[in-house]
Amino acid sequence: MTIIHCRIESANNPESDFPLNNLPYGVFSKDAGTARCCVAIGDSVLDLSTLYAEAIFPDLAENVFAHTTLNAFMGMGAKSWSYVRKQLIELLSTENDIDASKSNVIDTALHAQSSVTMHMPFAVGDYTDFYAGRQHATNVGTMFRGAENALPPNWLHIPIGYNGRASTVVVSGTDIHRPLGQMKPPTAEIPHFGPCKRLDLELEMGAVIGMPNNMGRPVTVKEADNMIFGYVLLNDWSARDIQAWEYQPLGPFQAKVFATSISPWVVTKDALANFRISTPARDVELLPYLQEKEPLLYDIDLAVHIQPQGAAKATTISNTNYRNMYYSAAQQLAHHAVGGCKMNTGDLLGSGTISGDDNKAYGSLLEISWGGKNPVTLDTGETRSFLEDGDTLTLTGAAIGDGFRIGFGECTGKILPSPDFNP
Ligand code: CA
């Protein structure tokens, strides 16, 4: 598939994250205006509420784009999602002639990305985080429990997950305070309280649920895929020293609750359709309810960048790909719902940390520095085992087409010191 030529010229730049093939959804505001829904196109955003008011989407029952989140639109289902995409491509493609009035409508709805503020694209219902990267699970298991016990016995059979916090999912650009908590280094006799010293990122993709299921009703993997509206970049910030002390037997708790960052753009399944691939070969056959009958994973290049305070530019510390996951989001969602759990519009599923084969492709500093034993050297000459105050961490990602890219923009956050707290 090649680029769909767009009448907005910046969208035709092969380096742009946002060609007409992409059309990811977000929520923006400008000046003192209220937040409303948009798509990204080239270096601009296109205000969908304005387009609705100008009758670009006559078959859509109401102006859901005037809302401050995408939830109402996401809850309309796949027919409406495809319809809006079709209308936008028809309006913006140079293949079609449009009259002067339509041209004026585009001009009215178009705003430079540099002139707008991006907000949380959707209200997060529940947030669940999985542990579906085999290399990551092997690395972390080796460090926490030893090489013999690296992969838990259930790992090849179940997409392991835990229920996280929706309340602290934030949009890219939000500063992150270093968390406080209780830790006990292996050499210490008793635990202590204070700022986390091993603050880390986790490079993940987030699947955004559009359509709900009914409580008590399982869904097939295929039905689960149909429920997914799209995907975001996701950073599951992690406090490793808090995690190591607290995680047994019920999994992470305080180590993960303080913040999860997502990209402002939700890239749709329609935009990613040409980049579907199968999950890797299985060591052991999955139970039938988890088996995929078609490719439901995606080929998406991902990277991690660190920019220390005062540095002129960021250093890329990892390049990997979403295809490294052992379980697709559809499999995770099917597993989530099979016991009776109701999933709602706006629920967010973290993929689990996405690590490739070696320390240039790992999705966390814990793995890249191997628990702090091999610090990574940045372009500034500084080294990092874990994140320092003042560091800005950025995730990027794109599916790479022939002369175009389906990009996700950036998922970024700056580390601020711990809050003052003297109990
Ligand atoms: Ca995680």
Side-chain angles (χ1 to χ4, degrees), residues 47-261:
D47 179 344
L48 295 175
S49 71
T50 298
L51 294 191
Y52 185 94
E54 298 288 348
I56 301 298
F57 313 114
D59 293 358
L60 214 59
E62 60 162 316
N63 192 355
V64 285
F65 301 125
H67 296 198
T68 57
T69 68
L70 288 164
N71 292 55
F73 175 57
M74 298 195 308
M76 292 179 114
K79 264 194 188 154
S80 298
W81 308 338
S82 294
Y83 168 70
V84 170
R85 179 177 173 84
K86 184 174 139 285
Q87 296 297 101
L88 286 171
I89 290 175
E90 214 167 279
L91 179 72
L92 297 173
S93 168
T94 54
E95 295 285 295
N96 307 316
D97 291 326
I98 53 170
D99 58 26
S101 72
K102 284 258 174 68
S103 195
N104 286 338
V105 167
I106 296 173
D107 288 346
T108 312
L110 204 62
H111 306 279
Q113 280 179 29
S114 57
S115 74
V116 304
T117 302
M118 298 305 298
H119 301 272
M120 270 296 289
F122 55 97
V124 183
D126 283 305
Y127 165 50
T128 306
D129 192 34
F130 285 89
Y131 189 54
R134 185 170 189 168
Q135 187 68 46
H136 171 73
T138 304
N139 289 343
V140 173
T142 301
M143 276 182 267
F144 278 39
R145 288 182 298 276
E148 323 71 58
N149 303 310
L151 270 193
N154 54 5
W155 200 91
L156 294 170
H157 302 274
I158 291 178
I160 298 175
Y162 65 94
N163 290 302
R165 291 292 304 177
S167 57
T168 33
V169 180
V170 293
V171 73
S172 174
T174 307
D175 293 337
I176 307 298
H177 282 277
R178 179 177 298 275
L180 296 165
Q182 185 180 138
M183 295 148 271
K184 192 184 88 60
T187 51
E189 292 265 311
I190 52 167
H192 69 275
F193 176 83
C196 155
K197 293 191 179 62
R198 290 159 75 93
L199 181 57
D200 202 356
L201 70 124
E202 287 192 338
L203 168 62
E204 303 193 21
M205 298 294 298
V208 184
I209 307 305
M211 297 304 289
N213 67 315
N214 293 315
M215 183 174 167
R217 296 294 305 173
V219 295
T220 65
V221 171
K222 177 66 189 162
E223 287 165 340
D225 186 58
N226 291 339
M227 290 165 63
I228 296 171
F229 174 71
Y231 291 83
V232 292
L233 297 172
L234 185 150
N235 183 353
D236 178 30
W237 303 97
S238 298
R240 300 300 181 193
D241 36 11
I242 297 171
Q243 183 180 359
W245 172 229
E246 75 175 2
Y247 87 105
Q248 286 179 320
L250 291 184
F253 183 45
Q254 295 296 95
K256 306 275 191 173
V257 295
F258 57 96
T260 305
S261 299

Side-chain angles (χ1 to χ4, degrees), residues 242-417:
I242 297 171
Q243 183 180 359
W245 172 229
E246 75 175 2
Y247 87 105
Q248 286 179 320
L250 291 184
F253 183 45
Q254 295 296 95
K256 306 275 191 173
V257 295
F258 57 96
T260 305
S261 299
I262 62 169
S263 58
W265 300 112
V266 187
V267 176
T268 63
K269 279 185 305 185
D270 280 347
L272 292 168
N274 290 297
F275 303 95
R276 284 181 179 253
I277 51 163
S278 295
T279 44
R282 303 285 140 186
D283 279 21
V284 290
E285 195 177 353
L286 292 171
L287 291 170
Y289 82 96
L290 283 173
Q291 289 176 10
E292 287 184 334
K293 300 194 169 50
E294 61 190 296
L296 295 176
L297 191 61
Y298 295 92
D299 182 353
I300 299 170
D301 282 351
L302 299 164
V304 180
H305 320 269
I306 294 185
Q307 185 164 8
Q309 182 94 48
K313 65 182 189 60
T315 302
T316 302
I317 58 166
S318 180
N319 287 284
T320 184
N321 191 294
Y322 185 40
R323 69 189 307 157
N324 287 310
M325 303 315 281
Y326 197 75
Y327 297 99
S328 68
Q331 285 174 308
Q332 292 170 331
L333 178 52
H335 180 66
H336 211 326
V338 80
C341 181
K342 177 167 170 55
M343 309 299 294
N344 289 308
T345 303
D347 284 358
L348 176 64
L349 306 186
S351 60
T353 306
I354 304 164
S355 287
D357 293 336
D358 59 37
N359 72 345
K360 295 193 163 43
Y362 291 161
S364 70
L365 275 167
L366 176 72
E367 297 165 86
I368 293 170
S369 74
W370 206 258
K373 291 196 182 83
N374 306 312
V376 61
T377 303
L378 308 181
D379 293 346
T380 56
E382 295 168 75
T383 60
R384 285 291 181 278
S385 291
F386 294 96
L387 295 167
E388 305 281 337
D389 292 349
D391 286 352
T392 297
L393 198 291
T394 300
L395 310 179
T396 54
I400 308 300
D402 182 10
F404 69 99
R405 45 192 281 134
I406 303 293
F408 286 75
E410 291 188 342
C411 177
T412 189
K414 182 176 177 176
I415 305 301
L416 300 185

